[in-house]
Amino acid sequence: MISLHFGRSALAAAGLALALHCNPASADTILFVGNSFTYGDPAGGPPTVRNYQTNTVTDLNGTNIGGVPALFKALTDQAGLDYTVSLETVGGTGLDYHYTNKLPLLDKPWDHVVLQSYSTLDSAAPGNPTKLIQYASLFADVLTAQNPDVNINLMATWSRADQTYQPGGAWYGQPISAMQADVQAGYEAAKANNSKIDAVIPVGAAWNAAMEAGIADPNPYDGIAPGLINLWAPDNYHASAYGYYLEALVVFGSITGIDPLSLGENERVARDLGFTSEQALALQQIAHNQVAVPEPASILLLASGIAGLVCMRRRSRATAAQG
């Protein structure tokens, strides 16, 4: 008897196969804008996330970064998808910085965009989403002017252990989930402020879920419990390789609509980063739980429709290119 997990993966693959019967077309383009929470600093272990397969993505700043965008590229390649991936990242910045200083690099027609702002929403006023709301909206207006069909996503990041467990932290004395809840709310407010923004990618919520499920340790300051992973880097601020991998999985599922569990225990990025198959599957399960993926019956009903839409999109692009 075919297992439910196998059935979902097989049906998803069948839907993709139908889509691939269309005439070939150019790859979907995706742009990542963010800071070190996107580019993968500090290092999570060899090979570092920041330096992961830098030749597979385009760093618009010319700083030779792979980061989470390169992890995403590797995941999509394994799923049989074709994405041209670009990134523009600067450490310690919010969307206001990128809009003010980098807009000429970004003001182009993209198919998908992932925008990530400062980890506390505002470095000068932690928890205040005003700047995020303002600049996410400005970006949405610029991006849709270039491509009205662009898929714009905001990426809500994780709670910082240093902001939660250390005196002086903006969320000191509160549960580890509190900062993430405030960050998520800020991104949701930014989405609600401009209808051109399509979704909020719940990376921070996935981190909380990993802790609640007993996969990740919730407090690195009191040591990592046996058998648990640490999603944070040694600074208890950035992510470890595990944390960035979980981020990439959630982005992968959110952008492609493909179940992260379909990648399987032998997934290449996890293997490159030195994870066990059990750790890879556990993190894929957490990402699966955060991402809306079709149930088996729905996949078959949608497969032909998806294939048709893909064909139509490819033909319209080809026509536009000839015009």
Side-chain angles (χ1 to χ4, degrees):
M1 181 177 178
I2 298 174
S3 69
L4 178 60
H5 168 62
F6 177 82
R8 284 180 174 172
S9 300
L11 290 170
L16 285 173
L18 284 171
L20 293 174
H21 282 299
C22 299
N23 293 328
S26 58
D28 268 19
T29 58
I30 182 168
L31 168 68
F32 289 81
V33 177
N35 51 43
S36 54
F37 278 37
T38 292
Y39 71 64
D41 192 49
T48 67
V49 170
R50 178 172 179 164
N51 298 324
Y52 189 82
Q53 297 189 357
T54 58
N55 63 319
T56 64
V57 298
T58 300
D59 180 351
L60 297 177
N61 289 326
T63 49
N64 199 36
I65 285 172
V68 171
L71 303 189
F72 171 85
K73 172 63 175 173
L75 297 177
T76 56
D77 284 350
Q78 292 172 86
L81 305 176
D82 191 6
Y83 280 84
T84 298
V85 180
S86 300
L87 63 137
E88 191 282 298
T89 55
V90 178
T93 62
L95 291 182
D96 54 317
Y97 174 89
H98 299 280
Y99 188 87
T100 303
N101 298 281
K102 300 289 184 175
L103 194 59
L105 293 175
L106 312 176
D107 189 7
K108 300 174 183 178
W110 306 96
D111 295 316
H112 308 270
V113 177
V114 177
L115 302 173
Q116 178 256 315
S117 199
Y118 192 73
S119 61
T120 64
L121 300 180
D122 187 327
S123 59
N128 187 334
T130 302
K131 279 186 180 179
L132 170 64
I133 293 169
Q134 176 185 357
Y135 285 94
S137 184
L138 289 171
F139 262 120
D141 291 342
V142 166
L143 294 167
T144 53
Q146 286 281 4
N147 175 14
D149 295 324
V150 62
N151 172 238
I152 301 174
N153 301 267
L154 306 179
M155 185 165 68
T157 52
W158 53 86
S159 293
R160 287 171 45 180
D162 65 324
Q163 287 284 333
T164 299
Y165 297 115
Q166 296 297 288
W171 286 266
Y172 179 63
Q174 299 183 58
I176 190 61
S177 58
M179 177 178 173
Q180 179 275 323
D182 289 344
V183 169
Q184 181 79 26
Y187 279 94
E188 294 290 353
K191 176 184 179 298
N193 183 62
N194 192 318
S195 62
K196 298 170 187 174
I197 298 172
D198 295 284
V200 177
I201 301 177
V203 171
W207 275 47
N208 285 355
M211 298 173 203
E212 293 164 3
I215 294 168
D217 194 290
N219 185 355
Y221 287 99
D222 63 5
I224 305 303
L228 301 188
I229 61 173
N230 186 2
L231 293 172
W232 289 283
D235 62 4
N236 300 319
Y237 173 167
H238 295 87
S240 67
Y242 296 111
Y244 286 122
Y245 180 67
L246 181 55
E247 176 182 339
L249 288 171
V250 176
V251 174
F252 166 81
S254 298
I255 296 294
T256 68
I258 295 176
D259 189 345
L261 272 173
S262 68
L263 296 165
E265 63 183 355
N266 294 317
E267 192 282 310
R268 175 163 50 87
V269 174
R271 188 171 66 247
D272 289 345
L273 296 173
F275 302 169
T276 66
S277 58
E278 291 79 9
Q279 290 169 335
L281 281 176
L283 292 170
Q284 289 170 20
Q285 180 67 58
I286 293 298
H288 160 88
N289 293 343
Q290 292 298 318
V291 176
V293 294
E295 290 300 315
S298 301
I299 295 175
L300 279 178
L301 292 173
L302 289 172
S304 59
I306 292 171
L309 288 171
V310 171
C311 290
M312 289 174 61
R313 184 175 183 182
R314 287 178 174 176
R315 288 174 186 142
S316 65
R317 285 184 185 170
T319 301
Q322 294 168 3

